[in-house]
Amino acid sequence: MSKDIQLDKNDFELLRKQIYRLCGLTISDGKEYLIQHRFKALYHSRNCRSWRDFFQLLISGDEQFKEEAVSAISTHETSFFRDNHPFTSIRNKILPEVLKDRKFGSKIKIWCAASSTGQEPYSLAMLIHEWSRTVASGKVRPDDFSILATDISGAVIEKAKKGFFTNHEKSRGLPPGYERYFEKSGNGWQLHPSVKSMVTFKKFNLLNTFRPLGQFDFVMCRNVLIYFDDDTKIDIVHRIHDLLPNKGYLMLGSTETLAGHTDRYETEHAGAVILYRKMLEKK
């Protein structure tokens, strides 16, 4: 690493506090190397002479720079059907329940928060295609579902919208038989329009109000809360609670838990997965 971008403790403190203000992400003590690594390309592209220069840009009115910085510091690790078990529980538990509670003629609405480059919401869309064709044949169609996928990074949202994946991206986690939802295109694979059309992508910061998003029957917010402090985590899940109907589901990542933090959800076990279901509101 170039000598000119070594990060001292004072500048590290300034940067991590500003990152928290911008997107709520908590950078732990001793993670100077993380900031240096994630911001290295952006630092050089803006011809910064010091980390104090970088910080001044971060607090300036340069919104494009702020967006690039937030995207750079955020984790975008994803794959199709990531961890597998959550999608088994969606197929066997959540989809039958939301279908049972569905009001006649209404769409079943799902929100995938922090959706990165689209593999998670597109996995869900493919799963719904398979489930509606086999298990729920005649009861529901893929068109009866709508999926909103959001991420704080405009760059990954734009990539996700294209529904185009490299050989490596397509092969990571995709179960046998699901290749039918892709068509070969140039040096990669294009997702089939019937799957792609089920998902709407939107750039969105989880620190902002959720009201414009509407209501949802089911919310996936996996592997996101681990990057926030406890107060922010609880604030987010409480605001998700307000978007759900009675008995609506929230799914978190396997290492994330609400135990001992809130009484607004009850836990349900679905195989190896813990689900959080909105408590019935007393009338």
Side-chain angles (χ1 to χ4, degrees):
M1 183 169 290
S2 303
K3 185 177 180 180
D4 63 338
I5 62 170
Q6 291 304 306
L7 179 60
D8 65 33
K9 290 185 178 181
N10 290 333
D11 289 339
F12 172 66
E13 197 64 29
L14 287 173
L15 287 168
R16 71 171 179 170
K17 285 181 178 179
Q18 184 60 17
I19 291 165
Y20 179 81
R21 293 186 193 103
L22 289 173
C23 60
L25 296 185
T26 301
I27 308 297
S28 304
D29 291 340
K31 292 290 183 73
E32 287 89 347
Y33 71 89
L34 178 65
I35 286 181
Q36 290 181 172
H37 174 70
R38 295 282 180 89
F39 286 156
K40 181 178 180 180
L42 189 55
Y43 178 103
H44 285 301
S45 71
R46 292 303 185 103
N47 298 313
C48 294
R49 293 170 297 178
S50 68
W51 282 110
R52 193 59 58 96
D53 285 351
F54 192 94
F55 171 73
Q56 290 300 323
L57 284 171
L58 209 56
I59 62 173
S60 72
D62 190 336
E63 297 303 322
Q64 177 64 31
F65 178 81
K66 291 177 185 178
E67 179 175 334
E68 291 175 5
V70 168
S71 180
I73 201 65
S74 301
T75 300
H76 303 298
E77 172 63 23
T78 189
S79 63
F80 287 106
F81 293 87
R82 186 178 179 184
D83 303 326
N84 194 40
H85 293 301
F87 293 92
T88 300
S89 71
I90 291 170
R91 182 185 66 231
N92 295 341
K93 178 71 174 178
I94 295 175
L95 290 179
E97 288 292 320
V98 297
L99 179 59
K100 183 176 68 176
D101 294 334
R102 175 193 181 203
K103 293 180 181 178
F104 180 77
S106 64
K107 286 220 175 203
I108 296 171
K109 300 179 68 177
I110 301 170
W111 177 22
C112 290
S115 59
S116 189
T117 46
Q119 283 91 326
E120 180 173 88
Y122 285 140
S123 295
L124 183 56
M126 287 186 280
L127 179 68
I128 289 169
H129 267 274
E130 291 292 299
W131 180 77
S132 61
R133 180 176 61 85
T134 55
V135 178
S137 179
K139 297 178 183 178
V140 69
R141 302 172 303 163
D143 288 347
D144 294 321
F145 291 81
S146 69
I147 302 170
L148 174 66
T150 66
D151 197 276
I152 196 170
S153 170
V156 300
I157 285 292
E158 289 306 311
K159 173 175 169 50
K161 285 180 179 178
K162 295 175 183 176
F164 180 84
F165 299 94
T166 65
N167 289 326
H168 175 68
E169 289 169 335
K170 172 181 166 287
S171 65
R172 287 190 67 204
L174 195 69
Y178 280 79
E179 295 88 353
R180 71 168 68 95
Y181 294 108
F182 294 84
E183 295 178 357
K184 185 66 177 173
S185 176
N187 62 350
W189 297 84
Q190 183 65 52
L191 196 64
H192 195 275
S194 65
V195 174
K196 192 167 172 284
S197 64
M198 291 178 64
V199 185
T200 300
F201 288 93
K202 178 182 177 68
K203 179 187 169 188
F204 186 74
N205 187 332
L206 290 174
L207 298 187
N208 295 342
T209 177
F210 292 175
R211 286 177 191 155
L213 301 180
Q215 301 293 118
F216 298 94
D217 300 287
F218 168 44
V219 174
M220 298 179 74
C221 189
R222 300 178 60 220
N223 307 306
V224 183
L225 299 185
I226 54 175
Y227 300 107
F228 297 112
D229 60 27
D230 286 344
D231 288 343
T232 305
K233 290 175 188 176
I234 299 307
D235 175 60
I236 289 171
V237 298
H238 283 175
R239 288 188 289 128
I240 289 174
H241 177 275
D242 294 338
L243 305 182
L244 293 169
N246 283 334
K247 301 172 72 175
Y249 282 103
L250 166 64
M251 176 181 282
L252 302 179
S254 59
T255 62
E256 299 165 323
T257 180
L258 299 183
H261 294 291
T262 180
D263 59 359
R264 300 190 190 184
Y265 295 88
E266 57 185 341
T267 58
E268 291 189 6
H269 291 264
V273 176
I274 296 176
L275 302 172
Y276 297 93
R277 199 166 197 182
K278 180 174 178 176
M279 298 284 282
L280 284 169
E281 295 178 350
K282 296 178 181 179
K283 297 183 179 180

